[in-house]
Amino acid sequence: TEKNKFNFAKLNLINLKTSLFAIEHIQKELKEKTNKSFALNSSILNKAITNTEWPGRFDIRKIAGRTVIFDASHNPEGFQYFVNEYLESPFAKSKCILVFASLSDKDWKTTLLLLPKITDSIIFTEISSHRSEQSEKISSYFELFKSDFDHLPCISIKNLDLALETAMNQKQDQPIVITGS
């Protein structure tokens, strides 16, 4: 959708700037060393940027009539960026139902403290990987901060399919965010 295309450009502004700088540098080096040059067609470049999508980054889908946002953030910086994007999006007025899983080698503990800003319900689950963190371990850790987030119901459902089904059956007017590793 147009929304996803806009988010891609916004989410990747640093990468886009780096790429354009690299092209500029290559053009300069080519000119200096070979006295040859190449030109970029700005309309083709603009079209390429506009039509680029990044599935899995603030990726908004409709599934069975529900708004589902996928975001593959897997470190605290990525989650902070996602939270900021969520709070600036049309969804900001509605907290989400969050489905969260993490690999054990990721800094999920820091990430967890960012999540209450956008959600009023969390389902901790697991992915099928030998590196997956146990949902019960994540839930237990989050319970340590429960007094800070006493309004926030959290459950642990080891089975990913059941966790997703549970999310789909919760508050129909809220978006579902599926994030983590």
Side-chain angles (χ1 to χ4, degrees):
T1 65
E2 288 302 315
K3 174 91 177 93
N4 284 351
K5 291 174 187 173
F6 172 76
N7 279 334
F8 172 83
K10 192 171 181 183
L11 286 172
N12 287 289
L13 192 55
I14 293 170
N15 291 342
L16 178 60
K17 286 180 181 179
T18 302
S19 298
L20 294 174
F21 177 79
I23 291 169
E24 184 180 295
H25 181 73
I26 291 168
Q27 285 177 318
K28 182 179 175 183
E29 288 286 314
L30 185 63
K31 182 75 172 168
E32 288 176 1
K33 293 182 178 180
T34 66
N35 204 26
K36 294 181 181 178
S37 64
F38 64 91
L40 291 178
N41 183 317
S42 61
S43 65
I44 292 174
L45 185 60
N46 286 335
K47 184 177 179 181
I49 293 168
T50 302
N51 290 325
T52 302
E53 294 184 41
W54 191 4
R57 290 293 181 173
F58 216 100
D59 189 350
I60 303 165
R61 308 277 177 107
K62 283 286 188 184
I63 301 174
R66 296 292 304 267
T67 299
V68 180
I69 304 168
F70 295 91
D71 195 88
S73 298
H74 60 271
N75 60 42
E77 296 78 15
F79 278 103
Q80 184 62 63
Y81 198 91
F82 174 77
V83 167
N84 292 345
E85 286 297 301
Y86 189 92
L87 294 173
E88 292 178 15
S89 78
F91 304 104
K93 294 179 182 175
S94 175
K95 292 202 172 195
C96 67
I97 299 162
L98 189 94
V99 179
F100 178 83
S102 181
L103 296 176
S104 59
D105 60 346
K106 300 298 178 187
D107 185 7
W108 53 266
K109 292 179 179 179
T110 302
T111 299
L112 287 179
L113 301 179
L114 302 172
L115 301 178
K117 294 177 185 176
I118 62 167
T119 187
D120 66 2
S121 174
I122 301 177
I123 300 170
F124 298 113
T125 191
E126 298 175 25
I127 57 172
S128 60
S129 168
H130 69 280
R131 294 174 46 216
S132 182
E133 186 61 83
Q134 296 175 356
S135 59
E136 288 293 329
K137 185 174 180 181
I138 298 171
S139 182
S140 294
Y141 182 80
F142 193 76
E143 287 293 322
L144 298 174
F145 301 95
K146 194 66 172 172
S147 61
D148 295 338
F149 312 114
D150 58 354
H151 67 284
L152 190 57
C154 301
I155 58 173
S156 172
I157 302 175
K158 185 174 183 162
N159 181 285
L160 178 60
D161 291 334
L162 183 56
L164 296 174
E165 182 180 333
T166 301
M168 291 294 282
N169 289 320
Q170 288 187 15
K171 304 171 185 171
Q172 297 295 311
D173 60 329
Q174 289 182 306
I176 297 170
V177 170
I178 301 171
T179 188
S181 302

